[in-house]
Amino acid sequence: MESGQRDKVPFEIEAVLGRIRQEVRGFADAAMFALAAQGHTTLFEQLVACILSIRTRDEVSLPTSLALLRRAHTPEAMSQLTPEEIEALIAQVTFPEPKARQIHALAKRTVEEFGGQLPADAEVLQSFRGVGPKCAHLALGVACGHEAISVDIHVHRVTNRWGYVRTRSPEQTLKALEARLPRAYWIEINRLLVPFGKHVCTGSRPQCSRCPVLAMCQQVGVLHPR
């Protein structure tokens, strides 16, 4: 049966995120935030990094992004590489061949259509192959400070376990969070819940015994906590 949902105290998102903020201080930052901390803060760089991160662990996507952007960090420079050269530089990520073509097309179109400057517009970003709402919103949040929620599997899983939202897909979670989550946390929630979901509120056997928000979490769907 589901882990205990009795004797829970009222859920307060400000308190929850405050406790998680302290909990994840010792963990590595999510890849795109870590990339920005190393100086790669442009929208183009962030979007390239997000494409590389799809279905790839941060431990692989971050060094791969750094290696690629050391070679070419602007749309102009990236467009001068061939898709084959890009693929060789990103060979460690999942699906390197299609991602190389997507990144090359992104760079080429940015130069030809937008004068080398990606517009800070989620709909425009999602018009590029390989870029969905998660990547568009996260890149805009990190690079431009735009208030946009990025929902990956960690954000989807954790917020549903809390009982804060009750949805079946990341897309539904995005809409539910946009309706409920205070805007002040729209960017930060991804930064907090990625490491929290990787190390504490894990996909299987979450570490509920050490969770700082256990008293407020409804533990929805949790069958075998640690």
Side-chain angles (χ1 to χ4, degrees), residues 207-223:
Q207 300 188 52
C208 296
S209 62
R210 61 166 288 188
C211 177
V213 300
L214 178 61
M216 287 182 272
C217 176
Q218 292 299 311
Q219 297 173 276
V220 176
V222 176
L223 300 177

Side-chain angles (χ1 to χ4, degrees), residues 51-56 87 90-103:
I51 291 172
L52 293 176
S53 75
I54 295 171
R55 299 200 178 185
T56 302
E87 182 181 356
I90 66 170
Q92 299 304 310
V93 304
T94 56
F95 312 118
E97 191 270 336
K99 287 181 179 179
R101 286 189 282 103
Q102 291 163 4
I103 290 169

Side-chain angles (χ1 to χ4, degrees), residues 48-64:
V48 166
C50 199
I51 291 172
L52 293 176
S53 75
I54 295 171
R55 299 200 178 185
T56 302
R57 293 179 296 109
D58 284 359
E59 293 82 0
V60 174
S61 68
L62 178 57
T64 301

